[in-house]
Amino acid sequence: MSSPTGTATVATTDVICLGESMVTFLPSRPGRLADVPSFARAIGGAESNVACALAAAGHRVRWVSRVGRDGFGDHLIEAISSYGVDTSAVGRDPRRPTGIYFRTATDRSAASHEVVYYRAGSAASAMSPATVPAADLSGARVLHLSGITAALSDDCLALMRELTAPRSGRPLISFDINHRPGLWADDRGAEVLLELARGADLVFVGEDEAEHAWGLRGARAIRDELPQPALLVVKQGGKGAAVFAAEGDDRLASIPASGPEPGRKNPTALAFDVTAAEQGRGSPVDSVTFVPAPRVEIVAAVGAGDAFAAGFLSATLRGLPIKDRIRHGHLMAAAALTVPGDVGQPPATARADALVALDDADWERLRLGPGWTSAVDEEVRTP
C-alpha cells in the first residue's frame, strides 16, 4: 500500500500497529469460567498491547484497526488513547460488533486455562486492502503486524499479504508470528504464517510455537527455515532470547544505529558466525546474540510476548546494540508479567537503561517482582 506516486513518505510516526483489539474480561478470582462470579474489564489485542507499551515508553505510535459503533468500541478507543496512542485511523463499523473475550486467571499454557472469544464477524475481521486506507499506513518508521490478523478472515489475510509484499519505500516490517491454532478455520495457518514471516524484515517467534506450528526444534532450525528476515528474534521463555542478524543486509541500514555500526557484531555479546552453507538455504552470514532473561515473580502469564516485542522495538528505534535491545525486551516483558492485565507500565527510561547497563553477573542475579517498575532506587535483588 504505497503512496499514489510510489515514492517514500517522510516518517512522522515511529510505529504503526495494525490489528484487532478486544474488550477483555478478567476473572475476579481463580477457577473455571463457570465458577467465576464477576469480571473486570480491560483491553486485549497483540498489536494494541505493543502500541500501548511503546506509547507509554514515549514513542509516537498509531493504532490502525476497526471497531464497532458500540460502547465496547468507545471503551477501546478511549482506553488505548489514554496511553498516548494515536487512534485517529481506527474505523467505526455500524453493522459489525467490537470483539470481546473472557479468560481464566491461569497460565495460557496450563491445561486448565480457558479462553472464550466472541469475535467472529467482528468489525476488525472486515479489515482488507479496500477498507484500510493507504494513508492510514503511511509515514511510519516501523509497521508492526502479527499472525493473529491473518487468521481473522480472508480479507484480513489479503491485507497482510499486501503489507508484507516487497515494495519500494515500505517501512521496516515487524512481524510477530503469534500462532493461535484455535483461530484458524482450517489447517493452513502454519504455512500462511511462514509465508508472511518470510516477507518481513524483523520477525518475533517463540521457540515453543515454532515447534508446534512447523515441527522445528531449537533456534538454529528456526533460522534455517526463516533466512529471509534481516533480524530474527527467537524467544525461549524463561531461558532468554536469541537474535539472528543478517550481516551486510541493506535493510539494517534503515534501522538507526547509535551503537555498533550495522553489520558489526556487538563485542560484549555472545556472538558467532554462521556461514551460508551452514544455514543451508543461501542466507547471509549471521551474527547471533543470546541474552538470558531475568527471574520474574509472575502475577499473570499473559502479554509477555507483546511486551517483549515493544521493548525490543523501542530499543531498536533508539539505535541501541542488539544485546541491549534484547535486555529491554526482557524488562518490558517483566513489566507485563508482574501485573494482572495484558499491559504493564514500563519502567522509566533512565531506570531501564541502568538495568540494561548491568554487567552480565549482576544481570543474571536480577529479580523482578510486582511494583518493580515504579521503584526508583531499588537495588538489584540477589539470592
Side-chain angles (χ1 to χ4, degrees):
M1 303 184 84
S2 58
S3 62
T5 61
T7 58
T9 305
V10 177
T12 57
T13 301
D14 291 327
V15 182
I16 292 175
C17 299
L18 178 143
E20 180 174 34
S21 189
M22 295 169 289
V23 175
T24 309
F25 290 93
L26 307 176
S28 57
R29 70 183 189 194
R32 303 182 310 155
L33 287 178
D35 301 327
V36 176
S38 59
F39 297 82
R41 186 180 63 176
I43 59 174
E47 301 84 2
S48 61
N49 288 347
V50 173
C52 291
L54 283 169
H59 295 284
R60 298 167 299 174
V61 187
R62 184 187 314 154
W63 174 50
V64 176
S65 189
R66 290 171 65 83
V67 299
R69 192 165 289 169
D70 50 33
F72 287 143
D74 294 341
H75 172 64
L76 282 177
I77 291 175
E78 291 167 6
I80 293 171
S81 296
S82 71
Y83 284 87
V85 176
D86 175 4
T87 59
S88 61
V90 178
R92 305 300 299 266
D93 193 321
R95 294 178 298 277
R96 294 171 178 263
T98 302
I100 65 173
Y101 78 97
F102 297 77
R103 66 171 173 82
T104 52
T106 52
D107 188 328
R108 178 180 285 155
S109 62
S112 60
H113 187 66
E114 297 175 72
V115 179
V116 179
Y117 292 106
Y118 297 92
R119 71 195 307 179
S122 69
S125 70
M127 287 189 294
S128 72
T131 61
V132 177
D136 290 348
L137 299 171
S138 65
R141 299 164 69 189
V142 177
L143 173 60
H144 180 72
L145 310 167
S146 97
I148 292 174
T149 304
L152 298 181
S153 67
D154 288 342
D155 283 341
C156 283
L157 176 55
L159 176 62
M160 292 290 288
R161 282 178 165 150
E162 182 166 325
L163 294 177
T164 56
R167 68 183 186 280
S168 175
R170 78 175 192 179
L172 180 83
I173 302 296
S174 168
F175 182 70
D176 194 332
I177 296 295
N178 263 325
H179 182 228
R180 300 287 186 269
L183 293 180
W184 291 90
D186 50 40
D187 58 0
R188 63 176 175 157
E191 180 181 349
V192 168
L193 293 176
L194 196 60
E195 169 201 336
L196 295 174
R198 286 172 173 163
D201 305 304
L202 165 58
V203 170
F204 298 94
V205 60
E207 201 170 46
D208 54 348
E209 66 181 343
E211 182 174 358
H212 190 274
W214 307 313
L216 302 174
R217 294 189 176 183
R220 177 70 57 196
I222 299 170
R223 182 53 162 175
D224 286 348
E225 194 67 28
L226 273 173
Q228 294 87 354
L231 291 173
L232 175 66
V233 182
V234 180
K235 299 171 291 182
Q236 299 172 312
K239 187 169 72 171
V243 173
F244 294 76
E247 298 207 7
D249 192 305
D250 291 340
R251 288 170 292 176
L252 294 179
S254 68
I255 304 172
S258 59
E261 295 175 4
R264 293 186 60 186
K265 300 181 187 66
N266 175 3
T268 64
L270 173 63
F272 53 93
D273 287 335
V274 184
T275 66
E278 288 171 329
Q279 290 285 2
R281 293 180 181 270
S283 61
V285 175
D286 276 330
S287 65
V288 187
T289 307
F290 172 79
V291 176
R295 297 184 186 180
V296 179
E297 184 181 336
I298 297 175
V299 172
V302 292
D306 304 330
F308 182 95
F312 190 92
L313 285 171
S314 175
T316 298
L317 289 163
R318 296 172 61 200
L320 301 184
I322 295 293
K323 179 180 179 180
D324 292 0
R325 298 182 199 185
I326 301 173
R327 285 191 172 187
H328 275 286
H330 286 321
L331 291 177
M332 197 77 88
L337 289 169
T338 50
V339 297
D342 287 14
V343 182
Q345 177 63 39
T349 301
R351 174 161 172 74
D353 286 344
L355 293 175
V356 165
L358 291 172
D359 63 33
D360 290 344
D362 283 341
W363 174 263
E364 292 179 15
R365 287 195 293 267
L366 191 59
R367 305 289 187 273
L368 301 171
W372 76 271
T373 60
S374 60
V376 178
D377 297 315
E378 179 184 335
E379 295 182 358
V380 174
R381 287 187 283 168
T382 57

